[in-house]
């Protein structure tokens, strides 16, 4: 071994060689690292899902180019909603599952449609080939059959068995009132009442309490702000954590300690009051109707207006996880904040939309009756936003209770992670109403299946 001055000389040479590496090599390494970080999902993974999406779209689309374009668009949407590879895979698998369900339902509908059409054509030819009136009536009847064809996807064939199973989970009237569900006002037609009053309501009718920062502000007779006051608030929840010597509460949005100034700023204060006027009730079925009353899961998004919370989007999903109704909704009053961080809805989404709440109610009442089972997570707010009085409800926040009991509730994303082993609500663009509605339906399908297994074991 070298000793003395020779050791020092060798050491200095090594240090100099390390310090003075070619700059181009360092830059190349840095560029490669940056590129690797930017590529959150490997190209081969993305390509695989484009191929899988294309296969599913080919089942419902005759043109291969159209199927490929749709697959590219779907994959790009999945990619944009993902923050990393794990979340990409979770969203992509869920999207693929929905496509497969839709393809299966469409295939059943096409087969039944083909059989009906061929049978009727054959019958009409035998009855009278030259009768023009009969031909006109036949064409009218074909249009009716097309409506039936659509209904095949709206009412899956095996819903009756599921409906009977879900009856055990329908909330009682007592549970509805405990959960603050809207019920018919005993004296005023078209109005609802709730049994737990909003604590953030000021005694002065011209004063409001901001639901974000807690400040009191003044409004005019029309509900508009008297003065423009900025709102400084935390959008996250207060989370308690055990620390040496006690418990510490911090905000989930910025990890700030309880009581610290807000991490977000908005131009105006907002309040979360819900109007209890303008409600409609689901109607009873005709006694002769012996078919399945229907099973749907729904989810709504809301925005802040000068009069409180109003509906901005609604999505309805059937038991096959197929979206049967989805629309943005134009609020009746002036919008203050679209709540884009959570709703994923911007002014552009609603601005060009002319669908009113009344039109949404009419559409829903066309396929939802008093016996239809509606599934959702904390559905009381959704029914208030829809201004819909309905008592046949299955609430996943009640079926899967919090260990501390009411009023504590488990979040929908925690339930799907625990029971369905899937991540939802991870998009940076806000919640997806179709994803949330489908998650509620899947949770109940899982619950029915697992409880069925337990009953068999007990027998």
């Amino acid at each position: 071994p070298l000793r003395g001055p020779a050791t020092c000389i060798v050491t200095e040479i090594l240090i100099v060689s390390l310090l003075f590496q070619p700059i181009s090599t360092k830059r190349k390494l840095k560029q490669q690292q940056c590129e690797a970080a930017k590529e959150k999902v490997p190209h081969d993974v993305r390509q695989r899902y484009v191929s899988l999406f294309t296969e599913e779209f080919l089942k419902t689309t005759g043109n291969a180019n159209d199927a490929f374009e749709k697959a590219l668009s779907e994959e790009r949407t999945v990619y944009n909603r993902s923050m990393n590879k794990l979340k990409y895979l979770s969203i992509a698998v869920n999207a693929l599952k929905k496509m497969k369900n839709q393809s299966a339902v469409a295939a059943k509908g096409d087969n039944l449609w083909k059989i009906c059409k061929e049978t009727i054509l054959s019958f009409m030819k035998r009855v009278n080939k030259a009768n023009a009136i009969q031909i006109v009536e036949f064409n009218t009847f074909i249009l009716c059959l097309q409506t039936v064809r659509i209904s095949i996807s709206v009412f899956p064939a095996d819903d009756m068995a599921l409906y009977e199973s879900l009856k055990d989970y329908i909330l009682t009237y007592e549970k509805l009132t405990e959960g603050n569900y809207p019920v018919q006002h005993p004296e005023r037609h078209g109005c609802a009442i709730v049994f737990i009053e909003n604590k953030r309501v000021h005694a002065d009718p011209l004063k409001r309490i901001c639901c974000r920062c807690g400040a009191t502000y003044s409004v005019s007779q029309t509900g508009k702000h008297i003065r423009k006051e900025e709102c400084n608030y935390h959008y996250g929840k207060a989370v308690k954590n055990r620390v040496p010597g006690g418990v510490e509460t911090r905000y989930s949005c910025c990890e700030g300690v309880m009581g610290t100034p807000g991490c977000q700023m908005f131009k105006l204060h907002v309040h979360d009051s819900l109007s209890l006027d303008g409600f409609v009730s689901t109607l009873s079925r005709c006694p002769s109707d012996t078919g399945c009353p229907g099973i749907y899961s729904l989810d709504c998004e809301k925005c802040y207006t000068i009069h409180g919370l109003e509906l901005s989007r609604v999505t309805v999903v059937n038991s096959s996880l197929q979206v049967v109704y989805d629309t943005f909704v134009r609020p009746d009053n002036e919008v203050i904040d679209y709540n884009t961080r959570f709703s994923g809805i911007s002014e552009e989404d609603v601005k060009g939309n002319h669908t009113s709440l009344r039109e949404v109610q009419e559409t829903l009442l066309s396929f939802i009756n008093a016996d239809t089972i509606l599934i959702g997570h904390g559905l009381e707010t959704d029914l208030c936003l829809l201004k819909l009085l309905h008592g046949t409800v299955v609430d996943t926040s009640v079926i899967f209770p919090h260990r501390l009991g009411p009023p504590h509730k488990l979040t929908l994303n925690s339930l799907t992670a625990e029971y369905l082993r899937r991540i939802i609500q991870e998009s940076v663009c806000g919640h997806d109403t179709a994803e949330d509605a489908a998650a509620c339906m899947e949770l109940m399908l899982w619950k029915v299946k697992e409880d069925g297994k337990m009953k068999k074991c007990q027998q």
Side-chain angles (χ1 to χ4, degrees), residues 249-284:
T249 305
R250 291 181 177 271
Y251 295 105
S252 61
C253 48
C254 62
E255 293 297 320
V257 179
M258 175 71 81
T260 56
C263 59
Q264 296 293 310
M265 188 76 73
F266 190 68
K267 59 184 179 181
L268 292 169
H269 295 297
V270 293
H271 66 101
D272 56 1
S273 299
L274 286 162
S275 170
L276 297 176
D277 298 326
F279 274 70
V280 295
S281 300
T282 49
L283 304 175
S284 300

Side-chain angles (χ1 to χ4, degrees), residues 97-115:
K97 188 175 181 180
K98 286 181 184 178
M99 287 181 203
K100 287 183 177 179
N101 285 326
Q102 290 173 3
S103 299
V105 170
K108 289 180 183 177
D110 287 338
N111 290 336
L112 184 56
W113 163 247
K114 187 177 179 181
I115 293 167

Side-chain angles (χ1 to χ4, degrees), residues 281-339:
S281 300
T282 49
L283 304 175
S284 300
R285 288 195 302 163
C286 178
S288 60
D289 187 357
T290 57
C292 180
I295 306 163
Y296 301 104
S297 178
L298 67 83
D299 186 58
C300 297
E301 287 298 346
K302 53 190 177 289
C303 61
Y304 292 100
T305 71
I306 58 174
H307 289 299
L309 294 176
E310 290 192 42
L311 182 69
S312 56
R313 185 176 186 176
V314 56
T315 304
V316 183
V317 172
N318 66 11
S319 63
S320 296
L321 310 183
Q322 185 179 18
V323 175
V324 296
Y325 183 59
D326 180 30
T327 183
F328 291 106
V329 185
R330 186 188 71 250
D332 292 332
N333 298 291
E334 182 184 331
V335 176
I336 299 173
D337 185 7
Y338 284 95
N339 201 29

